[in-house]
Amino acid sequence: MPDAIVIGAGPNGLVAANVLADAGLSVAVFEAEASVGGAVLSAELVEPGFVNDVYSAFYPLAVASPAMRAMELERWGVRWRHGPLVLAHPTPDGRCVALSRDIDETAASLDEYAPGDGAAWRELMRFWTRIEPALLRGLAAPVPPVRAAASLLARLGPRGVRELARTALQPVRSFTAERFEGEGAALLIGANALHADLTPESALGGFYGLFLAALGQRYGFPFPEGGAGQISKALARRAEARGVTIVTGSPVERIAVRDGRTRGVVVGGVEVRSREVLAAVSVWELDRLLGRATPASAEPDPAVVKVDWTLDGPVPWSAAAARRAPVVHLADSLDALTEYSAELGQGREPQRPFVLFGQYSQGDPTRAPDGKETAWAYTHAPPDANSERTANRMEDEVERRAPGFKALVRGRHVALLPPGRVNGGTAQLHNQFIFRGTRWGRPRTDVAHLYLASFSVHPGGGVHGAAGWNAAVSALRRRGKLARGGGRAGSPA
Ligand SMILES: Cc1cc2nc3c(=O)[nH]c(=O)nc-3n(C[C@H](O)[C@H](O)[C@H](O)COP(=O)(O)OP(=O)(O)OC[C@H]3O[C@@H](n4cnc5c(N)ncnc54)[C@H](O)[C@@H]3O)c2cc1C
């Protein structure tokens, strides 16, 4: 009988298993799919010799998050790759916003949209570097992140914290209008906010967009050589080296609960007993496994149309910067992002989808044969979207900015992913912090010794491993395996 069972071998489940094993617990992980990874997986989806990232593809959170850093992925086989730029956002007037790890290059690009915006970006980054350590620590700490808040208070003082709280709640429009003159900066921050289901008008959007853009500035948007799956393999390798048993192709059918506490899980009709159960699955799956209906307040993030291509050569973007950036954002303006969000809000398939586009050849030649390219993209969509039609519209968006793109397409793979797959719940304010997950944003559930360890709980979606970390630390603390104040990410339990 293992000390702990983890349900799901996505990034959060694998981090949780590692943290528990680091503390000396015996751990079994049950994964429904044939391979580990969850939404961190690569495969030859279209044709042999071309490696596509099936879901997620770019990992600023993995390299910045204290929980994932503690996994030392590089020691377990991950080789991070970067392109010459981090991301590019071409605009219809022929200009192109460029985010570079070299701040001079980013600033020069923003100055092209409005002189002085480069200086405003530098000032924002100076502020960011003051608050980043506390914010990242807050990721890998259950709600409320007391230490992170105390550290911000010490750094900024009460007035500074009040101003930060206001800033954090601002939508993209007012956040960028207060700081910048040009559309370039608004697009840089706005399009990053729309990685999640935040619109230019949503509370939190400005800060969320800044968060991703600032991580891009400081760490890039790296991707692993050989495909996203290398991250999952590294996490699994690390766990197995510590004695964790990972069983793939084994969906958990039910969580066994008696007398208000979990007793283990049922797999293949057999009860596997364990004292602790960490459910690194969505909140909807957790409730299904408990035989409950999910409360209506657990609102999912939108469905997604995901497209993967194999191409006969690199994408011929008109804007030179877009040819140098692994990530390219496609939207004409901030207003265009609002129109796209409004159509989605009304349940319609956007006429002009906002496309998050990825290409690898400048950074990782192992993803495609010589001279060829693999490309990745997604856009939000209604759950009943016609995915082929949306994929065609996404290709139109690329073709507008890269004439000749369609002629390079060798093949494509299109998938409509149901709501909740990217973020495990909307990223809007009403589903953040104490509102997220099952119990005040914390990993503990109302069943004793059962923890929610996935993207459905704080801090939400993305490959940072923090939800798995927090759940494991919570379980260890309850077992008395961790002193109070121990288990901070960065100091493995
Ligand atoms: C299209 C797409 C693009 C994305 N792009 C990025 C990106 O570029 N960068 C980024 O940081 N994030 C990105 N994300 C988000 C990120 O991938 C997810 O937020 C993250 O994978 C969530 O991790 P998790 O471990 O909580 O859940 P998941 O990765 O969803 O893993 C859950 C696992 O649980 C398993 N499971 C479910 N039910 C059971 C059961 N009953 N028994 C056993 N196993 C079960 C599933 O098979 C799965 O393996 C993207 C997501 C998607 C879908």
Side-chain angles (χ1 to χ4, degrees), residues 86-317:
V86 177
L87 78 79
H89 191 138
T91 45
D93 55 10
R95 290 181 292 182
C96 185
V97 187
L99 179 66
S100 165
R101 283 182 291 159
D102 174 352
I103 195 163
D104 292 341
E105 205 168 3
T106 310
S109 155
L110 297 180
D111 276 337
E112 275 184 37
Y113 285 82
D117 275 3
W121 178 253
R122 288 178 199 279
E123 192 183 323
L124 198 51
M125 284 302 96
R126 274 194 292 276
F127 175 65
W128 175 264
T129 43
R130 288 181 68 202
I131 61 172
E132 187 192 88
L135 291 182
L136 292 179
R137 194 179 311 146
L139 274 185
V143 176
V146 179
R147 281 164 187 274
S151 145
L152 283 174
L153 195 61
R155 261 164 203 260
L156 304 178
R159 264 174 196 233
V161 168
R162 180 181 171 277
E163 186 50 30
L164 177 62
R166 176 180 170 275
T167 300
L169 293 176
Q170 275 184 301
V172 167
R173 280 190 191 268
S174 69
F175 181 93
T176 53
E178 274 183 17
R179 293 166 177 83
F180 302 99
E181 293 292 324
E183 174 105 323
L187 279 176
L188 174 60
I189 290 171
N192 270 299
L194 268 83
H195 281 222
D197 61 323
L198 296 165
T199 75
E201 288 73 32
S202 319
L204 279 185
F207 203 72
Y208 188 94
L210 171 68
F211 182 65
L212 282 188
L215 292 185
Q217 177 67 73
R218 285 169 58 71
Y219 305 97
F221 280 7
F223 40 103
E225 182 178 299
Q230 299 303 324
I231 296 175
S232 308
K233 285 185 185 154
L235 286 170
R237 229 176 262 137
R238 186 186 186 283
E240 283 170 341
R242 282 155 173 75
V244 174
T245 306
I246 301 177
V247 192
T248 53
S250 294
V252 168
E253 288 141 24
R254 197 161 55 76
I255 296 173
V257 180
R258 286 188 289 281
D259 304 326
R261 60 164 294 178
T262 178
R263 306 287 163 171
V265 301
V266 177
V267 188
V270 176
E271 184 169 312
V272 184
R273 301 196 67 178
S274 177
R275 232 182 114 193
E276 319 289 341
V277 175
L278 283 74
V281 298
S282 71
V283 67
W284 306 284
E285 179 67 358
L286 171 66
D287 283 338
R288 194 187 71 78
L289 294 173
L290 289 169
R292 296 175 176 174
T294 309
S297 58
E299 182 183 324
D301 44 304
V304 152
V305 172
K306 170 80 195 328
V307 187
D308 291 280
W309 292 273
T310 58
L311 303 174
D312 264 328
V315 183
W317 301 103

Side-chain angles (χ1 to χ4, degrees), residues 15-73:
V15 167
N18 271 289
V19 175
L20 295 168
D22 286 347
L25 268 61
S26 59
V27 184
V29 180
F30 292 103
E31 166 55 49
E33 298 294 329
S35 53
V36 298
V40 188
L41 194 68
S42 40
E44 293 178 334
L45 276 181
V46 184
E47 56 179 310
F50 293 79
V51 179
N52 300 102
D53 288 342
V54 185
Y55 305 101
S56 61
F58 298 98
Y59 298 103
L61 293 166
V63 294
S65 149
M68 204 56 101
R69 286 171 86 109
M71 298 295 108
E72 299 181 302
L73 292 174

